[in-house]
Amino acid sequence: MARNTPIASERKPAYGGAEKSYFKRLAGQWDIQLMVVPALLLIIVFQYIPMYGVLLGFQDYSLFKGFLDSPWVGLKHFEAFFNDPDFNRVIRNTIVISFLKFFIGFPAPIILALMLNEVSKLAFKRVIQTVSYLPHFMSWVIVAGMVSSMLSTDNGSINMLLQQLNLIDEPISFLSLPEYFWSILVVTDVWKSIGFGSIIYLAAIAGVNPQMYEAAAIDGASKFKMTYLITIPSIMPVIIIFMILAIGNLLSAGFEDILLLANAGIREVSDVIDVYVYRIGIENQRFSYATAIGLFKAIISVALLTIANFAARKSGNSLW
């Protein structure tokens, strides 16, 4: 006897789709949705509520008068920043340091992850991972102290090594010379972040289908060919997403590292937007001026993020 099966239009959706409203389905997942609440509160309290503070950039803010009574001055502080004699220097340093960190620091974790993926000895691989992850958990105060000690002219290990190799006759004060600062800053930043940054890429590599490597090995492909023909294309969506985020943060050239490693004598090459805002805006209590500069940086960052996302969309991988 033939079974009477309902046609597709009469079948009930497996999840109950059209029969349940959005809010009913949300109520049915209350336990799962409840887990999102702390993250939402964190974002609202520390990200959205402080946005009210951008109003300072359009006021001559006074601590005694507050938001409501401080006079509005329009774009006065933005014009003051653009006309500041330090503007060109600050923007130049920010762009140069950001691009150096991007072009050197961004591919570094990817290269490390690809290299670790080829390590067959599990014990050795774990040691390398632990050693490379460790700097991430050290504060910039500790890292800056280590770098200053190593580059010191008074028994600094770098100067002692160079003298032993007869490369220099007298110790060099690396941190006091502008020509060395960018190199020291970028190398230190890469050393601190490369290990922890490789975790995401190692996880992405672990998700690559191993049958692809087996098929490539049968065809006689070398490890190098497997890397650039299989591994890199497979993790490319992850690389593109992180590249978009990195481009959006291009104007964030650094704050703690520069503040701790630089001194007043090399301000010509060390002043970036974040440090300049702290030094001029916060230390001198020019809160409105500092807010205007911060808002200018945020607008440019959003524009860069949007452009990068639009360009990445053509590859089929984008944030939105």
Side-chain angles (χ1 to χ4, degrees):
M1 187 175 181
R3 297 176 59 187
N4 296 324
T5 57
I7 60 175
S9 60
E10 295 176 351
R11 292 175 185 169
K12 293 182 178 180
Y15 186 70
E19 295 183 356
K20 290 185 177 181
S21 68
Y22 172 77
F23 294 102
K24 286 183 178 179
R25 285 187 284 120
L26 207 62
Q29 302 173 342
W30 68 269
D31 51 343
I32 299 177
Q33 301 297 334
L34 196 63
M35 298 173 63
V36 185
V37 173
L40 288 176
L41 290 176
L42 194 68
I43 293 174
I44 292 171
V45 172
F46 291 101
Q47 300 293 333
Y48 283 93
I49 293 179
M51 284 186 183
Y52 182 75
V54 301
L55 294 177
L56 269 68
F58 304 94
Q59 295 179 319
D60 269 336
Y61 178 72
S62 170
L63 288 171
F64 303 101
K65 295 180 180 180
F67 284 106
L68 299 178
D69 296 327
S70 295
W72 294 89
V73 294
L75 301 177
K76 169 187 172 182
H77 300 296
F78 294 91
E79 294 174 356
F81 177 56
F82 296 147
N83 294 323
D84 194 303
D86 295 329
F87 176 79
N88 291 332
R89 184 188 70 197
V90 170
I91 297 299
R92 182 205 65 192
N93 293 339
T94 301
I95 293 175
V96 171
I97 293 174
S98 295
F99 272 84
L100 286 173
K101 287 185 175 181
F102 177 77
F103 286 110
I104 299 175
F106 180 78
I110 302 173
I111 296 172
L112 177 62
L114 293 173
M115 294 173 65
L116 288 174
N117 184 56
E118 300 301 327
V119 177
S120 57
K121 299 290 184 180
L122 187 59
F124 178 72
K125 182 177 181 178
R126 287 177 175 174
V127 170
I128 297 299
Q129 286 179 298
T130 303
V131 172
S132 63
Y133 296 166
L134 183 61
H136 172 79
F137 300 99
M138 300 167 60
S139 71
W140 270 111
V141 176
I142 297 175
V143 172
M146 293 172 57
V147 172
S148 299
S149 177
M150 292 173 62
L151 298 177
S152 172
T153 56
D154 185 17
N155 296 325
S157 58
I158 300 298
N159 275 304
M160 291 177 64
L161 176 62
L162 293 176
Q163 285 181 305
Q164 289 292 328
L165 296 174
N166 294 322
L167 296 177
I168 59 174
D169 297 324
E170 297 293 332
I172 300 174
S173 181
F174 291 99
L175 290 176
S176 299
L177 298 175
E179 57 266 30
Y180 295 112
F181 180 72
W182 288 346
S183 301
I184 295 171
L185 185 68
V186 173
V187 170
T188 305
D189 182 75
V190 171
W191 173 76
K192 190 177 187 300
S193 60
I194 185 173
F196 196 78
S198 66
I199 293 177
I200 299 296
Y201 301 107
L202 282 171
I205 293 173
V208 179
N209 189 348
Q211 293 180 353
M212 298 174 66
Y213 294 108
E214 294 173 4
I218 294 174
D219 290 339
S222 63
K223 289 289 186 181
F224 182 74
K225 284 188 175 181
M226 291 183 191
T227 298
Y228 78 84
L229 291 177
I230 298 176
T231 307
I232 295 179
S234 298
I235 66 173
M236 188 56 67
V238 178
I239 294 175
I240 291 175
I241 293 299
F242 278 88
M243 182 180 293
I244 294 172
L245 296 174
I247 292 174
N249 289 318
L250 269 182
L251 290 186
S252 298
F255 175 69
E256 291 179 318
D257 50 349
I258 298 176
L259 192 67
L260 293 168
L261 289 173
N263 56 64
I266 58 172
R267 192 167 287 167
E268 185 65 28
V269 296
S270 66
D271 249 0
V272 296
I273 290 178
D274 291 334
V275 175
Y276 181 77
V277 166
Y278 172 77
R279 181 169 56 85
I280 301 297
I282 306 303
E283 288 186 348
N284 295 347
Q285 297 183 0
R286 298 176 62 184
F287 303 116
S288 295
Y289 185 67
T291 304
I293 300 174
L295 182 57
F296 163 76
K297 173 191 166 185
I299 293 172
I300 299 299
S301 297
V302 171
L304 289 173
L305 180 65
T306 304
I307 294 171
N309 187 78
F310 177 77
R313 193 181 300 169
K314 296 181 180 179
S315 67
N317 299 288
S318 59
L319 292 176
W320 69 86

